[in-house]
Structure formats: C-alpha cells, structure tokens
Amino acid sequence: MLTNESVRIPILCAKLFTGSKSMTPNPLKHASWVRNVLSLTAVVCLALLLDRADASEAKLPNIVLIFADDLGYGDLGCFGSKTIRTPHLDRLAEQGRKFTNFMVASPVCTPSRAALLTACYPKRVGMHQHVLFPTSTKGLNPTEHTIADHLKTQGYATACIGKWHLGHHPEVLPTAQGFDTYFGIPYSNDMNYPDNKAKPQGGAGGMDALWTDPESALTKWKTPLFENEKIVELPVDQRTVTRRYTQKAIDFVKANRDRPFFVYLPHSMPHIPLYVPDDVRDPDPKRAYINTIEHIDTEIGRLLQTLDETGVSENTFVIFTSDNGPWLPFKHHGGSAGPLRDGKGTTFEGGQRVPCLIRGPGIPPGTVCDALTGTIDVLPTIAAIIGSPLPSDRKIDGMDVSTLWMGTDTRSPREEFVYYTAQGEVEGIRQGDWKLLVKKPAPPNQQAKQTPNSDKKSQDPQILLFDLSKDLGEQSNQWKSQPEIVNRLRARLEEIDAEITQNARAPWVKP
Ligand code: MG
C-alpha cells in the first residue's frame, strides 16, 4: 500500500537538493544561512532515506502512462458507470487521485497523442490535421522533445507498448522519439496495411458481425504488429493484443526494477473493432464494449500487481487516461460520455474531457481534483516532480500542475484551454467556468448536416457559450445574455491561435 508520508520524503528531498525558487531567500544576504539549512536538511533527508530498507525509494520515480483509445468519460466504475465493472481502475482511484476536469487537446487519435507526448497543442507541432493513415507520408518530427526524450536524458529505461499513431515510417516510430523499445500497432486497429483497403463493413451492425466471428480478427483485418521498426505479425491477432501488451509491460518492469523506467502503454482498444481473448469472451455482441473494457481493467490489474510484487509501487506514478471521448455512432461498440455532451470527433466536452486517475509518491489517496488540467500538462509536471527542467529552446503549451497532482492547491495554474476540431481548426476556448465555441458553417455540400440548433443557417458562425459550473452537459446557450464574455473569449481565442500559427513547427515529412 502507498502511504502518503513514506512517499513524500524522497520528493521533498529531491526538491531541496535541486532548489526550489519559493524556498530560496536573497542569495547574497542569506548565503550562509541557506547553506546551513540545506546542509542540515540534506543530512536529515539522507538519514531518513538510509533508514528505509527499500533502496528503490532513493531513485527517481518510475512512470507508467496508460492511454486508452476512445474510452469515454462515463466508462469506469469510479466515473459513474453502472454497467461496466472496473475494480482495478477503481482501486487505482482509491489509492490515488481522480481528475474530473482533465482535457485532451484533440477529439481524435493522432493529434491527441502528439499533444500528450510533446506538451503542445497539436497545431504547434504540425500534427493537428486529423489522423494518420497507412498511406500517410508524415509523422511527429523527431526533433520534438517527447516525454520519452526527456526521461531518457535522466537515465530512464523507456518503452512504448501499444498503438503509436504518430507516423509508421522508421524515421518517426517510437524508437526515433526517445523510446528504447517499441511493441505495438503503428496506427488504428481499423486500418489495413499497406493501403487501408479491403476493410469489412462498418457501423454497429458490421461490428456485431465481427464480434460474432472472432476469427475475423485474422480473416477480415490486416493491421500490422511492430517490434521496434519491423513488422513481426500481419495481421496482428487483435484478440490477444491487449494481453500481450500487458505482458510486455510486465516483463519490462521486471527487467528494469532496479533503475528508473518509463512505460508508455497506449492500448489499441476500445477503438473499434473490439476483440478479447477467447477465454474471457462474452458471445453477446451487445456486450462487446463492456467485455472489452472489463478485459482491459483485468490486464491493468495484472500490471499493477507486478508493480507491487517487484516492490516498486511506492516509487511509481501510474497515470491512466484516454485519447478522446467515446465513438458514439458505434452504439454498443462505443462508450459513454456520461453526463457530457456528444463524443469523439467533437469539441463538446464529451469529445475532449476524459477520465484521469493518477497514483504516485506524494499524491493524496482517495482524493478528487476538479481543477482544469489535461494531457498537455503531463510532461512539464513530471519534469518538475523529478527536478529536471525542460529545454528552453522551444515554446510549449503545457504547465507544471504538480500542486494539483499533490493536492497542495485547489486552484489550477491553467486558467484557459483552447479547443481545436478534429481537422485542426480552432473552435473554442475555456476560461474558468465559461466555454465558448465558435462553430463555422459547414461547407455548402455539407449544409444538410448542420446541427439542428444552429441559430441561423447562413455563413455566420454558430456561437455557443456555456457556464460549465451550472451546465456540464452544454445545453443552455448563454451567448445572447453575455455579449461581453463572448467578445472577450473570442478575442483571446484568436490571439492564442494566431501565436500558435505563427510559431508552429513543421512535422516530419517523408523525403
Ligand atoms: Mg482515439
């Protein structure tokens, strides 16, 4: 079991050794005083550390980052699901902290992943325009500084196990982005090597047929499985892939238990098509999604047990979240956004607010954080916690929110958040509890698809203003009664997007 006091000491010591601005008085006036205090503190910390039988507490904390695919805000027991049982993730919530206001920077896979790994809005790193396909010729630029790059410079062993989706060419695969090893699929599990053709029929009905025929994992799909830069299985057997990812992660933890490690585990599911191993399969296609999440939960339980058994749990941050909201058109093959509006592919909260659980040294167990933060803040927060500054040669959008992680402050350093569409168009901003969406009209050939509550079917954008503190489900448009807020937020939205556009960096493009 994690105890708050036992895990807080190494973090505090690390902060004292590396120096914290708030703890350093005028250096000229108080130099000797500071030296004396630091020396005494160092001795006390060292004594406390040496007093502990588990030497692992003295090393940098491990990071296990689990990223589900298309799992909705309402799909975990600890986030209110009444139909899906997730005892292992619920236990993670009891031992750690639940974040109810946690955002991803895009409502679709590729840009969301770019943001998580680089702490940037996807447009800043040129990865904002929808998802990559097997025919794509671009990827995340290896010159970007990923979480893996950062931890590798600090001596971490790093592994990416699961769905990458930031470019399938060798120049941009995980092994070119700070990861020592990679095992997983390079793009979505509904994409076929090499040209994305010959795919089975989609929709919930198509998914029912696939679920009823588990062999379809091999006969209907052709998604490759990579080991480092090579395809090792084609098609990947999707029935066992969740379990095999987990086993790889378990083996990696065991092999690296004596040094700091970073496991990035982006599960390829519950993105459709859904498959589970034969020995846990519920034949009812109406229960496919439930079955898949419960299997992922079981597998996460195995990994958490390994952390316990290897004695590294108390010095490991486990972060669980999702890349975007649920894919609602797939009905019982997609998830639920709970109380939120809409899902994957939209800038409503259901598309971009995701469940997040974080357990680790210094994090108060069984607590809830309702303050605004998200995946773009993960890298700066980890960097702050391990006391290693990020490079200063580039602008990022993420912020150090370690005070939120540690529960020492209820107010987020993040006061605003910008929403981009799946195609990478700026569409909204959040400031405090106010959220503004400026939805441009659909192109003429898509006018019929315009949302029914458009204020007028013209070339004017649809303005939506919601007070999320009173209207989490984004049902009550306040724009007419709050013109000043609309104007202020709209100006700020354009200002932020203009800065990002001007300073955007290029993605990698195949020569
Ligand atoms: Mg996704």
Side-chain angles (χ1 to χ4, degrees):
M1 268 297 286
L2 290 168
T3 61
N4 211 11
E5 191 204 343
S6 69
V7 294
R8 196 185 290 275
I9 290 163
I11 295 282
L12 289 173
C13 290
K15 284 191 172 175
L16 283 167
F17 283 131
T18 54
S20 163
K21 277 182 192 164
S22 63
M23 301 188 71
T24 310
N26 181 327
L28 292 173
K29 194 174 173 188
H30 298 289
S32 67
W33 178 86
V34 170
R35 260 199 314 274
N36 288 341
V37 170
L38 284 178
S39 303
L40 182 61
T41 310
V43 169
V44 171
C45 285
L46 198 60
L48 283 167
L49 288 173
L50 291 174
D51 190 41
R52 291 173 191 283
D54 185 357
S56 72
E57 285 190 359
K59 75 178 176 68
L60 289 166
N62 311 303
I63 314 283
V64 175
L65 174 53
I66 308 171
F67 208 42
D69 194 339
D70 297 0
L71 181 136
Y73 192 77
D75 285 335
L76 304 182
C78 53
F79 272 81
S81 178
K82 297 279 183 273
T83 53
I84 307 174
R85 286 169 302 173
T86 53
H88 299 287
L89 286 165
D90 297 350
R91 185 164 56 92
L92 195 66
E94 286 164 19
Q95 296 174 339
R97 196 154 162 82
K98 185 170 99 166
F99 291 77
T100 64
N101 216 327
F102 191 88
M103 310 302 300
V104 290
S106 168
V108 289
C109 295
T110 295
S112 174
R113 283 149 210 270
L116 168 72
L117 291 182
T118 65
C120 291
Y121 286 114
K123 191 173 190 179
R124 190 179 294 288
V125 294
M127 296 297 290
H128 54 305
Q129 291 164 316
H130 212 256
V131 304
L132 298 180
F133 290 93
T135 50
S136 296
T137 54
K138 71 177 216 180
L140 180 67
N141 200 320
T143 58
E144 293 298 338
H145 189 74
T146 68
I147 300 176
D149 286 321
H150 193 68
L151 294 177
K152 200 171 166 67
T153 64
Q154 304 303 307
Y156 280 67
T158 57
C160 173
I161 303 164
K163 169 176 161 179
W164 175 239
H165 217 179
L166 290 169
H168 64 276
H169 300 278
E171 295 92 331
V172 289
L173 281 170
T175 45
Q177 311 275 11
F179 292 99
D180 298 330
T181 59
Y182 170 49
F183 179 83
I185 66 172
Y187 30 71
S188 294
N189 58 331
D190 67 341
M191 294 180 184
N192 279 355
Y193 175 90
D195 52 12
N196 208 28
K197 290 185 178 154
K199 299 199 290 187
Q201 193 188 348
M207 294 305 129
D208 280 353
L210 294 170
W211 183 263
T212 311
D213 171 23
E215 282 289 318
S216 63
L218 302 178
T219 59
K220 304 281 188 188
W221 296 102
K222 207 175 170 191
T223 310
L225 178 72
F226 274 65
E227 181 119 40
N228 298 324
E229 302 87 23
K230 295 268 189 307
I231 294 176
V232 293
E233 195 174 301
L234 184 68
V236 59
D237 190 339
Q238 297 201 35
R239 293 171 296 188
T240 54
V241 79
T242 302
R243 188 174 278 167
R244 285 189 284 161
Y245 291 160
T246 307
Q247 194 56 48
K248 278 279 179 189
I250 287 172
D251 294 344
F252 183 80
V253 167
K254 286 180 177 171
N256 293 284
R257 59 192 292 177
D258 294 326
R259 60 180 289 200
F261 61 78
F262 169 45
V263 182
Y264 173 47
L265 177 56
H267 274 296
S268 4
M269 292 189 202
H271 191 293
I272 59 94
L274 304 176
Y275 290 98
V276 295
D278 293 342
D279 60 295
V280 297
R281 182 171 162 272
D282 185 330
D284 181 359
K286 293 278 186 286
R287 291 182 54 82
Y289 190 85
I290 297 169
N291 198 183
T292 302
I293 300 293
E294 292 185 352
H295 174 55
I296 291 172
D297 180 75
T298 300
E299 291 300 301
I300 288 172
R302 284 210 299 136
L303 178 56
L304 296 177
Q305 189 181 348
T306 301
L307 296 175
D308 288 343
E309 288 170 359
T310 49
V312 300
S313 273
E314 293 201 355
N315 195 35
T316 301
F317 286 93
V318 180
I319 304 160
F320 175 88
T321 187
S322 176
D323 71 334
N324 52 251
W327 213 350
L328 299 175
F330 285 94
K331 300 189 169 79
H332 49 278
H333 292 266
S336 162
L340 310 180
R341 179 168 173 176
D342 223 314
K344 174 176 177 171
T346 79
T347 53
F348 291 114
E349 292 298 283
Q352 292 192 232
R353 191 186 293 218
V354 289
C356 177
L357 306 169
I358 306 181
R359 182 187 82 177
I363 294 182
T367 56
V368 178
C369 174
D370 295 322
L372 176 64
T373 177
T375 50
I376 54 173
D377 299 325
V378 169
L379 170 56
T381 303
I382 289 173
I385 286 173
I386 66 171
S388 110
L390 292 171
S392 56
D393 65 342
R394 68 195 68 206
K395 190 165 169 59
I396 63 168
D397 301 291
M399 306 176 89
D400 165 17
V401 296
S402 52
T403 54
L404 295 184
W405 286 29
M406 300 303 164
T408 55
D409 201 349
T410 53
R411 209 180 142 90
S412 180
R414 171 168 296 289
E415 293 176 341
E416 55 192 10
F417 180 83
V418 181
Y419 295 76
Y420 284 88
T421 67
Q423 280 71 34
E425 301 272 347
V426 71
E427 186 163 271
I429 187 168
R430 167 99 182 268
Q431 262 188 6
D433 291 324
W434 288 109
K435 175 178 175 182
L436 176 77
L437 292 177
V438 182
K439 287 181 171 287
K440 292 183 185 143
N445 60 347
Q446 293 177 32
Q447 288 282 339
K449 292 182 186 169
Q450 241 182 348
T451 47
N453 61 344
S454 294
D455 293 288
K456 51 181 174 175
K457 288 186 178 173
S458 71
Q459 291 308 298
D460 292 340
Q462 183 190 15
I463 308 291
L464 298 165
L465 181 72
F466 302 112
D467 178 354
L468 295 178
S469 69
K470 302 190 183 86
D471 180 23
L472 186 59
E474 298 173 281
Q475 297 298 316
S476 176
N477 188 359
Q478 304 290 311
W479 77 288
K480 281 185 179 162
S481 62
Q482 302 287 351
E484 284 177 16
I485 293 174
V486 169
N487 290 339
R488 173 165 55 84
L489 263 58
R490 199 166 176 181
R492 181 64 182 144
L493 169 69
E494 287 165 8
E495 182 183 35
I496 293 173
D497 182 55
E499 183 279 313
I500 291 174
T501 306
Q502 188 181 352
N503 295 313
R505 302 187 285 270
W508 175 87
V509 178
K510 190 174 166 61

